[in-house]
Amino acid sequence: MPTLEEIRQAAAELEGRIHRTPMVESSALNQELGARLTLKAELFQKTGSFKVRGLLYKTLRLTPEEREHGVITVSAGNAAGALAWAARAAGVPATVVMAKTAVPAKIAAARAYGAQVELVDGDLMAAYESIRDERKLTGVHPFDDLDVITGHGSLGLELLADRPDIDTVLVGVGGGGLISGVALAVKLLKPTIRVIGIEPETADVVSRSLEAGEPLKLPTSKSVADGLAAPVCGTRNFPIIQQYVDQLVRVSEGAIVEATRLVMSRTKLALEPAAAAPFAALLEGKVQPHGLTAAVVSGGNLDVSKLVL
Amino acid sequence: MPTLEEIRQAAAELEGRIHRTPMVESSALNQELGARLTLKAELFQKTGSFKVRGLLYKTLRLTPEEREHGVITVSAGNAAGALAWAARAAGVPATVVMAKTAVPAKIAAARAYGAQVELVDGDLMAAYESIRDERKLTGVHPFDDLDVITGHGSLGLELLADRPDIDTVLVGVGGGGLISGVALAVKLLKPTIRVIGIEPETADVVSRSLEAGEPLKLPTSKSVADGLAAPVCGTRNFPIIQQYVDQLVRVSEGAIVEATRLVMSRTKLALEPAAAAPFAALLEGKVQPHGLTAAVVSGGNLDVSKLVL
């Protein structure tokens, strides 16, 4: 498991390369949710989500030989843009394997950040592995990776640097990447803090994994919060979550939609549904507010064609 | 006309009572629009728009007798909440006359800020005048008022305090309230600055007034940018706009919608369509970018039910 010293080292390497995102407060939102909230506005991060923290740190840690050959990932969309950006920031060539049916804007984003995009018709994983081996590229997993987890931990350090009085941290959960890094960082710094993960009811692989006592893979996983719809719990993330996360709760699709609109309306942040999971849990009474509660607004990569004016 | 000294005095009185909103920059947006932009993120202002600047200053300037009796306005929605908030902040009772058919969320907002809301079935203006006279209330016009204009001028001072190197200012135009205050402030401070107002093609009363040489009133005015759909050009705003605004341009409804989505996607600001007018003008090539261009993101009171997830 990454140590606090390693997370601090990662944060120091990331400093100046990524944004130090602000904490935002809204008395209207506090009143509406009956909680004392401070929001980590990570939607203002480079590429619009926290993902660049871990992916850039990973890319910076490659050996000179790995850097020269370049990195590769396979993605439905969000990680593609983030890895493309991170690789360019680190001066490393990047290849991204995406389905031909991926959202065109996400394909365009990966290309705009300079990645070579390989569009695939059939089996994504087979194409990924064959390109990786053929071109001697280093595969980068978007969350099941200790360097990625360590990089994500930098967000936890910032939370407590800005607001040492935080009592509870709420984080949306997909495959477990962000929450494992954040939980590790904040618990090592302040063991009394409470960390709660929030999953969609329809994409609850980490909750199920904790119940089963081992990291699971679900046949499918789908949610309006597409950023949380990973069908697999990371094997490196799982033991960290077991040890450092106090509780996982599930929220309904309806609550995620309602929370997205509520937070947007009260804070004027254009958050994506995945980033609204913490607020959905408060709306549904799945989390009892206690003390100062930090909610991570993890990203803002909303499909704006869904704004029907 | 208000003087620079009066605008400075207004800014000093407002300080600490309203937010000092940040300037935001986005290299992705600059690239997309071929301009060097700095965005005044006024959507983070109290009540979600610039309107509280002028309305709070107006309320603070009332005589003791006027304060005691209270203020009244008539509004389709946006000014209602802003005046209700401003009056409460100044410790003055507020009455707001609204149509029974007004958006329920806007009625609720005015009530939540402590205003007495009078819902009217028939003639709004007749009801407004009768309540005002009967209860000895002071009528507050949302833009055709010198104190309101002076208060709005504070935004112009902030622009140049934060970025003295601004060459061009782009401001959306409804009845002329915001642009008259901002143009006055920035031109008095820096006469070489260029100020351009942007109106929807379908709600262009100020452009028509300038063409006619006198402030006009249109029979109707409607736009997807509802915040810019005033059917009347303020008589006090008109001469200021004539003297201090370099140019007015008209933008299409389609460009406003496209600009709203583009700016939201690139900056993660949940702006309302009225606030996207400056970007619509750049998208349509109605404004030639020149130097550092400040675009006022005037508000974020988007109808979030239009976000169809």
Side-chain angles (χ1 to χ4, degrees), chain A residues 59-299:
Chain A
T59 315
L60 292 170
R61 300 265 292 169
L62 298 174
T63 66
E65 200 191 329
E66 289 169 334
R67 293 175 60 93
E68 198 184 313
H69 285 107
V71 291
I72 184 168
T73 199
V74 54
S75 167
N78 279 328
L83 181 69
W85 180 90
R88 192 173 65 178
V92 171
T95 302
V96 175
V97 179
M98 299 178 84
K100 270 196 176 143
T101 54
V103 178
K106 295 190 172 175
I107 297 173
R111 284 205 176 113
Y113 291 128
Q116 177 159 350
V117 177
E118 300 287 350
L119 292 179
V120 172
D121 230 348
D123 185 338
L124 272 181
M125 279 311 292
Y128 163 75
E129 285 167 10
S130 124
I131 298 170
R132 180 192 63 195
D133 297 345
E134 196 179 289
R135 303 186 196 165
K136 295 194 171 65
L137 305 176
T138 299
V140 173
H141 194 284
F143 55 85
D144 196 357
D145 182 290
L146 289 178
D147 287 329
V148 171
I149 294 168
T150 307
H152 289 342
S154 63
L155 190 149
L157 300 187
E158 290 176 18
L159 286 179
L160 284 171
D162 284 357
R163 297 299 305 261
D165 51 335
I166 290 170
D167 299 295
T168 303
V169 179
L170 306 181
V171 191
V173 174
L178 179 60
I179 198 170
S180 54
V182 169
L184 203 50
V186 300
K187 286 280 193 175
L188 292 174
L189 275 171
K190 183 174 177 177
T192 59
I193 213 166
R194 197 169 58 135
V195 178
I196 301 177
I198 298 99
E199 279 189 305
E201 283 169 359
T202 54
D204 61 346
V205 69
V206 175
S207 298
R208 285 177 193 236
S209 299
L210 287 174
E211 286 155 11
E214 57 174 354
L216 301 179
K217 189 179 163 126
L218 302 182
T220 65
S221 198
K222 201 168 158 42
S223 169
V224 64
D226 57 295
L228 304 182
V232 52
C233 173
T235 56
R236 290 160 191 83
N237 314 83
F238 180 74
I240 301 175
I241 293 170
Q242 264 190 322
Q243 184 170 348
Y244 290 106
V245 174
D246 295 276
Q247 196 187 348
L248 253 85
V249 300
R250 295 169 170 98
V251 291
S252 71
E253 295 292 282
I256 294 171
V257 171
E258 192 186 338
T260 306
R261 291 186 183 141
L262 173 69
V263 176
M264 191 179 291
S265 141
R266 296 302 184 270
T267 65
K268 316 307 178 191
L269 301 176
L271 74 172
E272 62 181 275
F279 311 94
L282 290 165
L283 268 180
E284 289 197 311
K286 298 285 177 68
V287 168
Q288 293 316 311
H290 165 68
L292 179 63
T293 299
V296 180
V297 181
S298 52

Side-chain angles (χ1 to χ4, degrees), chain B residues 86-231:
Chain B
R88 192 174 64 178
V92 172
T95 301
V96 175
V97 179
M98 300 177 85
K100 271 198 175 140
T101 53
V103 178
K106 295 192 172 176
I107 297 173
R111 284 206 176 110
Y113 291 128
Q116 178 160 347
V117 177
E118 301 286 350
L119 293 178
V120 171
D121 230 348
D123 185 338
L124 273 181
M125 281 311 292
Y128 162 75
E129 285 168 9
S130 125
I131 297 169
R132 181 192 63 195
D133 297 345
E134 198 178 290
R135 303 186 196 164
K136 298 193 169 66
L137 305 176
T138 298
V140 174
H141 194 283
F143 55 84
D144 195 357
D145 181 289
L146 289 177
D147 288 327
V148 171
I149 294 169
T150 308
H152 289 341
S154 62
L155 191 148
L157 299 188
E158 291 175 19
L159 287 179
L160 284 172
D162 284 358
R163 297 298 304 264
D165 50 337
I166 290 169
D167 300 294
T168 304
V169 179
L170 306 182
V171 191
V173 174
L178 179 60
I179 197 168
S180 53
V182 168
L184 201 51
V186 300
K187 286 279 192 176
L188 292 174
L189 274 171
K190 184 176 177 175
T192 60
I193 213 165
R194 195 170 58 134
V195 179
I196 301 177
I198 298 100
E199 278 189 306
E201 283 169 359
T202 55
D204 61 347
V205 71
V206 175
S207 298
R208 287 177 191 237
S209 300
L210 286 174
E211 286 154 14
E214 57 174 351
L216 300 180
K217 186 178 165 130
L218 303 180
T220 66
S221 198
K222 202 169 155 42
S223 170
V224 63
D226 57 296
L228 302 182

Side-chain angles (χ1 to χ4, degrees), chain A residues 24 26 28-29 33 39 43 256-273 275-276 279 297 299-304 306-309, chain B residues 43-44 47-48 260 264-265 268-272 299-309:
Chain A
V24 168
S26 159
L29 189 63
L33 295 173
L39 279 55
L43 78 172
I256 294 171
V257 171
E258 192 186 338
T260 306
R261 291 186 183 141
L262 173 69
V263 176
M264 191 179 291
S265 141
R266 296 302 184 270
T267 65
K268 316 307 178 191
L269 301 176
L271 74 172
E272 62 181 275
F279 311 94
V297 181
N301 292 324
L302 191 66
D303 176 358
V304 290
K306 290 185 172 166
L307 185 64
V308 182
L309 297 172
Chain B
L43 79 172
F44 295 134
T47 78
T260 306
M264 190 179 291
S265 143
K268 316 306 178 192
L269 300 177
L271 74 171
E272 60 181 278
N301 292 323
L302 190 67
D303 177 0
V304 290
S305 70
K306 289 184 173 166
L307 185 65
V308 181
L309 298 171

